[in-house]
């Protein structure tokens, strides 16, 4: 009985080593789809697609009443508020569940706070259904060189998440004067607001490698 057990362990070990030593190969782009960003997986590194953004940043200077001070006394404060969603994402689906060793992301711009998650659930019902990939997460990608993320599991869906980028060149500045009554005098307070649009990061291609 002991001999059979030892032989079984040896067989499993040899089989595991054989699987690990198999060469990786690139998944054909025809097996990959993305509803929001099809050019991420079109097989052409010369095409570029951008994460969709739904939101903007609002920065403002406002004169706010000071608690515990004389009535009508105000303090000028700088506020930053996000409108909508700063986080962007794209989901890529394989045609069938596949054991993926790693992926390579070919950036076309900087990508702030990039994360990679995956799931086998079809369709994914919740964002919590996605599991973090191994290795680095929340990576700030700079430059145009490919970035590799280890997956090492069977997956059906892969999700890329990244922060949007502030488009400061497209910022719009607004000023508004407000009349504030203090005793018998009228004082003018000026509120300033800067609305900064957000733009998504851009990617040329996402390549999948299986074993």
């Amino acid at each position: 009985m002991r001999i059979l057990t030892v032989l079984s362990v040896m067989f499993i070990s040899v089989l595991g080593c054989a699987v690990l030593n198999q060469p990786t190969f690139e998944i054909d782009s025809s097996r990959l789809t993305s509803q929001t960003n099809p050019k991420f997986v079109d097989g052409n590194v010369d095409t570029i697609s951008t994460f969709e953004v739904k939101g903007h940043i609002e920065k403002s200077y406002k004169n706010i009443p000071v608690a515990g001070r004389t009535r009508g006394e105000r303090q000028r404060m700088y506020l930053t508020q996000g409108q909508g969603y700063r986080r962007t994402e794209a989901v890529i689906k394989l045609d069938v569940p596949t054991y993926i060793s790693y992926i390579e992301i070919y950036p076309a711009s900087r990508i702030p706070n990039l994360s990679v998650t995956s799931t086998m659930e079809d369709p994914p019902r919740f964002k919590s259904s996605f599991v973090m990939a191994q290795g680095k997460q929340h990576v700030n990608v700079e430059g145009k060189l490919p970035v590799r993320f280890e997956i090492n599991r069977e997956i059906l869906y892969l999700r890329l998440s990244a922060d949007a980028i502030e488009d400061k060149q497209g910022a719009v500045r607004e000023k508004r004067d407000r009349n504030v009554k203090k005793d018998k005098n009228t004082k003018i307070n000026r509120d300033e607001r800067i609305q900064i649009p957000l733009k998504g990061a851009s990617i040329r291609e996402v390549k999948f490698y299986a074993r």
Side-chain angles (χ1 to χ4, degrees):
M1 188 67 179
R2 174 179 287 182
I3 295 176
L4 290 175
T5 302
V6 172
L7 289 175
S8 298
V9 172
M10 291 178 62
F11 175 76
I12 293 172
S13 299
V14 171
L15 182 62
C17 290
V19 172
L20 291 174
N21 289 328
Q22 288 180 355
T24 57
F25 61 92
E26 182 181 344
I27 296 291
D28 192 273
S29 60
S30 62
R31 296 184 52 194
L32 305 169
T33 55
S34 175
Q35 292 186 352
T36 58
N37 298 86
K39 290 183 180 180
F40 279 6
V41 289
D42 64 355
N44 186 353
V45 294
D46 292 327
T47 58
I48 295 175
S49 188
T50 301
F51 285 99
E52 182 181 0
V53 180
K54 298 178 181 178
H56 64 271
I57 297 295
E58 190 172 288
K59 298 184 179 183
S60 58
Y61 288 96
K62 291 188 177 181
N63 294 292
I64 299 176
V66 180
R69 299 285 185 87
T70 305
R71 186 178 179 182
E73 187 173 355
R74 293 172 175 262
Q75 180 179 359
R76 192 166 177 78
M77 296 186 67
Y78 182 73
L79 304 174
T80 299
Q81 295 176 310
Q83 305 292 331
Y85 300 95
R86 190 179 186 120
R87 197 75 175 152
T88 64
E89 65 178 44
V91 176
I92 300 169
K93 183 182 180 182
L94 289 108
D95 55 347
V96 294
T98 305
Y99 187 94
I100 300 298
S101 297
Y102 62 91
I103 64 166
E104 286 183 344
I105 298 174
Y106 290 70
S109 72
R110 69 184 186 91
I111 311 177
N113 207 15
L114 173 63
S115 294
V116 177
T117 55
S118 64
T119 185
M120 283 286 292
E121 190 174 59
D122 188 24
R125 291 175 295 173
F126 308 102
K127 288 190 175 183
S128 58
S129 302
F130 287 83
V131 179
M132 283 284 187
Q134 298 178 15
K136 297 179 179 179
Q137 292 295 332
H138 302 288
V139 177
N140 291 319
V141 177
E142 304 287 347
K144 303 297 179 64
L145 295 177
V147 181
R148 175 168 164 169
F149 283 84
E150 300 290 335
I151 306 298
N152 294 322
R153 65 165 60 101
E154 189 177 34
I155 69 172
L156 183 58
Y157 291 89
L158 184 99
R159 183 179 65 186
L160 305 177
S161 304
D163 285 347
I165 303 169
E166 292 186 13
D167 182 13
K168 294 183 179 180
Q169 290 185 345
V172 177
R173 183 184 298 270
E174 297 180 4
K175 295 182 179 180
R176 185 180 62 176
D177 292 336
R178 294 184 297 105
N179 294 331
V180 179
K181 291 185 178 181
K182 186 176 180 181
D183 299 328
K184 295 182 179 181
N185 299 319
T186 300
K187 183 179 179 181
I188 297 177
N189 283 337
R190 168 163 290 184
D191 289 347
E192 291 185 41
R193 183 175 66 177
I194 304 173
Q195 196 172 97
I196 304 175
L198 295 173
K199 60 182 180 181
S202 298
I203 291 177
R204 291 180 289 143
E205 194 71 18
V206 181
K207 295 185 178 183
F208 288 64
Y209 292 86
R211 195 182 296 277

